Amino acid sequence: MSSVGAGFRLVRAGWVLVREGVVAALPGEELSGLPKLGWRLARLFTRRRALAYERSDRLAKAVVRLGPSYVKLGQFLATRPDVVGNDMALDLAMLQDKMHTFPKVEAVAAIEASLGRKIGDLYTQFGDPVAAASIAQVHAAETVQAGVATKVAVKVIRPGVRRRFFQDLESYFLAARLQEKYIPSSRRLRPVEVTETLAQTTRIEMDLRLEAAALSELGESTRNDPGFRVPSVDWERTGRDVLTMEWVDGVKMNDIAGLQAAGHDLKAIATNLIQSFLRHTLRDGFFHADMHPGNLFVEANGTIVAVDLGIAGRLGKKERRFLAEILYGFITRDYLRVAEVHFEAGYVPRQHNVSAFAQAIRAIGEPIHGQPAETISMAKLLTLLFEVTELFDMATRPELILLQKTMVVVEGVARTLDPGFNMWKTSEPVVGGWISGNLGPRGLMADARDGGKAMLALLRQVPELAVRTERLSREIDLMAEHGLRFDENTARAIGKAEARYSRSGRIALWVIALTLVYIAWKIF
């Protein structure tokens, strides 16, 4: 029955996408056979008024109709251009996470249930919602700390959003399994694995204690950074369903007129935004991964305050070195070094030729250097780079794709503030400084120190490794003598899982077919 419900929800989602013109906006002329027939039917059933909208507007309207979980799905797929294509990823990245507010009384009930205290014991004042997104909404409130009345922002999880999301998640898994089963060419994109990643990231985002921890970590790492900060967290009033943090007084970065009226230097803000983002990425390996202008405020002194840290990105040392060296290599036109970094990081298989890869990278870099610096997009460069690396069997790197998506958004915000923004001139001090500090003599010393620690840790594990090796050797000998065997319970579980998978797929296909027949009958 769960599969039947997932099938109905999947059909409804497809119908909404058809009616709002999202399917019709896809490049269907390039298709053939049944896919092209389906695309033509979708155009036939599209609302007339939807045809007048741009594709991004059609997407936004469809997502609003489908509900909060589809907003998160769209935002997640925006980080996977390898799955949906670059153009669609850009449209999805522009989705504004704005939803209708829910009643204040429901927010109060959620807070009291999460913290186990009455609302009057937690806040001296608790106001109406001031903003609402797909997963939570924010209220203005007031607390008394050290005898001083303090204004705070209270983020509360939307009631029922977990249940609704995990119901829709069943539909996503059903679609992914059907795609893998009936569209062999899509298997390399691992749709089921992509859906599992979506499920995990959203579970994290729906626990506000984890967002509070991310705010705390970013706050510590940026404590001494000029012109950038995040709100402080009130841990006493924070739980799974509620996050209380410092209230931010400032102008939203999407309010250009408001920024100008407040006397801010827009060019300086754009520079500060990009350098702060690169500093967090390269220096800390931890960055705010949802830096759209609605999440960025500018205080009276010009400081940027970033809120809503439900999505955060992390880069290891190898990835940071990779990013810094490829950016610096493009700046200095050292394409061979850019290619070598890909091989050193293990991103491109060794069977490929470094010089041939450098030639492909040159094809990206040289046209860019022929343009005025203020027109060069670093985000577009990374997009082109990932397209070329696919030709050389570079596996998808989720952390780099999240970085690319965030850079697209941040760079877009900077160019909105300053249309003549020079990305390369702005980023060179941060990128060059990181390289000199981490790849020069100091970097070698740090690498040697890290290597020594790793060697010491390995030596400590030698006795345990010896025991594991002996145990593995005995198990291999037994396997060679008697063969690989399953116990009875394992074999029975495999049989049940296979039967359930096949039965669920058949039921879902019948549900979809019957629903489409019903829709066609109602229309005609």
Side-chain angles (χ1 to χ4, degrees):
M1 293 304 295
S2 177
S3 294
V4 172
F8 273 116
R9 287 190 291 270
L10 192 59
V11 169
R12 175 184 174 270
W15 179 243
V16 170
L17 292 174
V18 167
R19 292 291 283 165
E20 294 299 337
V22 176
V23 178
L26 299 175
E29 295 294 347
E30 302 172 6
L31 301 174
S32 60
L34 286 176
K36 188 164 187 176
L37 176 62
W39 176 74
R40 285 176 172 170
L41 288 173
R43 287 179 62 86
L44 183 65
F45 292 131
T46 299
R47 296 177 191 271
R48 289 182 179 274
R49 65 173 181 269
L51 295 173
Y53 297 125
E54 295 292 331
R55 187 174 61 189
S56 58
D57 294 327
R58 298 183 194 184
L59 265 174
K61 290 179 181 296
V63 164
V64 168
R65 284 187 61 187
L66 289 170
S69 56
Y70 281 85
V71 174
K72 300 319 301 179
L73 174 64
Q75 292 177 332
F76 173 76
L77 289 177
T79 70
R80 298 301 304 268
D82 58 318
V83 174
V84 298
N86 289 318
D87 292 339
M88 183 64 75
L90 288 174
D91 287 342
L92 291 169
M94 297 301 123
L95 280 177
Q96 291 297 305
D97 196 356
K98 294 180 179 179
M99 305 294 290
H100 296 298
T101 61
F102 55 88
K104 176 180 173 181
V105 63
E106 293 184 13
V108 170
I111 292 171
E112 292 181 342
S114 182
L115 299 179
R117 296 166 62 185
K118 291 294 184 183
I119 195 75
D121 297 334
L122 294 164
Y123 310 99
T124 55
Q125 292 183 19
F126 187 79
D128 293 325
V130 295
S134 58
I135 286 179
Q137 72 182 23
V138 177
H139 294 255
E142 191 174 273
T143 63
V144 175
Q145 299 177 8
V148 178
T150 304
K151 191 175 183 180
V152 293
V154 183
K155 186 174 182 178
V156 188
I157 287 288
R158 186 177 289 274
V161 70
R162 291 188 183 90
R163 177 180 55 80
R164 173 66 186 275
F165 178 80
F166 290 114
Q167 284 179 344
D168 287 335
L169 194 62
E170 291 180 355
S171 302
Y172 304 160
F173 274 112
L174 176 60
R177 288 195 295 268
L178 292 173
Q179 184 179 353
E180 281 197 356
K181 188 171 184 178
Y182 295 107
I183 309 177
S185 60
S186 70
R187 290 171 189 164
R188 68 178 183 84
L189 299 175
R190 301 175 181 174
V192 173
E193 187 176 308
V194 169
T195 308
E196 288 170 349
T197 304
L198 167 65
Q200 176 62 17
T201 56
T202 308
R203 286 190 193 100
I204 292 173
E205 196 172 352
M206 287 183 183
D207 189 334
L208 295 184
R209 294 169 298 189
L210 300 181
E211 181 177 344
L215 282 168
S216 176
E217 182 179 350
L218 190 59
E220 289 181 3
S221 62
T222 61
R223 183 181 294 122
N224 299 318
D225 287 2
F228 184 94
R229 70 181 189 89
V230 294
S232 58
V233 175
D234 182 345
W235 284 101
E236 181 187 351
R237 297 170 178 84
T238 293
R240 180 170 177 254
D241 295 338
V242 56
L243 165 59
T244 303
M245 57 193 149
E246 169 193 359
W247 181 267
V248 177
D249 282 316
V251 182
K252 276 194 175 183
M253 207 170 281
N254 55 8
D255 183 4
I256 302 298
L259 292 172
Q260 291 172 331
H264 292 296
D265 183 343
L266 300 189
K267 292 184 177 180
I269 293 173
T271 298
N272 182 21
L273 177 65
I274 292 295
Q275 291 187 344
S276 294
F277 169 70
L278 289 174
R279 195 177 293 118
H280 306 159
T281 303
L282 294 174
R283 181 193 65 195
D284 308 321
F286 182 63
F287 59 92
H288 192 309
D290 195 18
M291 293 181 75
H292 64 75
N295 283 343
L296 300 170
F297 291 81
V298 182
E299 295 182 309
N301 63 356
T303 296
I304 296 172
V305 185
V307 300
D308 194 2
L309 198 48
I311 305 174
R314 292 188 184 275
L315 292 180
K317 192 169 184 179
K318 182 175 74 172
E319 286 77 23
R320 283 182 271 166
R321 174 175 176 171
F322 167 78
L323 175 65
E325 289 219 56
I326 64 168
L327 293 179
Y328 201 72
F330 275 108
I331 291 172
T332 59
R333 302 173 74 173
D334 188 351
Y335 305 120
L336 180 60
R337 181 58 193 151
V338 175
E340 289 172 346
V341 170
H342 280 77
F343 281 80
E344 290 172 6
Y347 293 155
V348 177
R350 288 287 176 182
Q351 69 263 24
H352 292 289
N353 184 276
V354 177
S355 298
F357 189 47
Q359 177 186 350
I361 290 174
R362 181 180 292 273
I364 299 172
E366 286 303 297
I368 287 176
H369 279 284
Q371 301 176 25
E374 62 272 12
T375 67
I376 300 174
S377 167
M378 185 182 293
K380 185 177 181 181
L381 181 146
L382 287 177
T383 300
L384 293 172
L385 179 63
F386 292 151
E387 287 179 357
V388 166
T389 54
E390 285 182 14
L391 299 176
F392 290 82
D393 302 318
M394 176 173 164
T396 298
R397 307 289 306 185
E399 70 278 9
L400 296 180
I401 291 176
L402 182 60
L403 169 71
Q404 175 198 358
K405 173 256 183 182
T406 309
M407 189 171 287
V408 168
V409 175
V410 173
E411 188 175 358
V413 175
R415 292 193 188 278
T416 301
L417 296 169
D418 178 13
F421 183 73
N422 187 326
M423 184 69 177
W424 298 96
K425 183 178 178 180
T426 304
S427 61
E428 199 281 333
V430 178
V431 177
W434 190 90
I435 286 177
S436 63
N438 289 271
L439 303 183
R442 280 191 300 166
L444 291 175
M445 292 288 291
D447 288 344
R449 184 175 64 250
D450 292 342
K453 290 180 180 178
M455 183 62 70
L456 182 59
L458 182 62
L459 289 173
R460 288 173 176 168
Q461 295 178 39
V462 165
E464 183 182 351
L465 290 173
V467 172
R468 289 182 180 179
T469 302
E470 183 182 0
R471 186 185 307 132
L472 178 61
S473 177
R474 288 199 303 268
E475 291 176 356
I476 291 174
D477 289 340
L478 289 172
M479 194 182 301
E481 183 178 351
H482 302 292
L484 181 61
R485 296 184 177 182
F486 290 123
D487 62 30
E488 185 178 346
N489 291 333
T490 302
R492 188 181 300 116
I494 291 173
K496 286 183 178 179
E498 183 64 25
R500 185 169 58 251
Y501 178 83
S502 300
R503 185 170 59 251
S504 299
R506 287 196 300 271
I507 292 172
L509 287 173
W510 274 108
V511 168
I512 292 170
L514 291 172
T515 306
L516 290 175
V517 169
Y518 174 76
I519 291 171
W521 177 71
K522 293 291 286 185
I523 291 175
F524 295 110

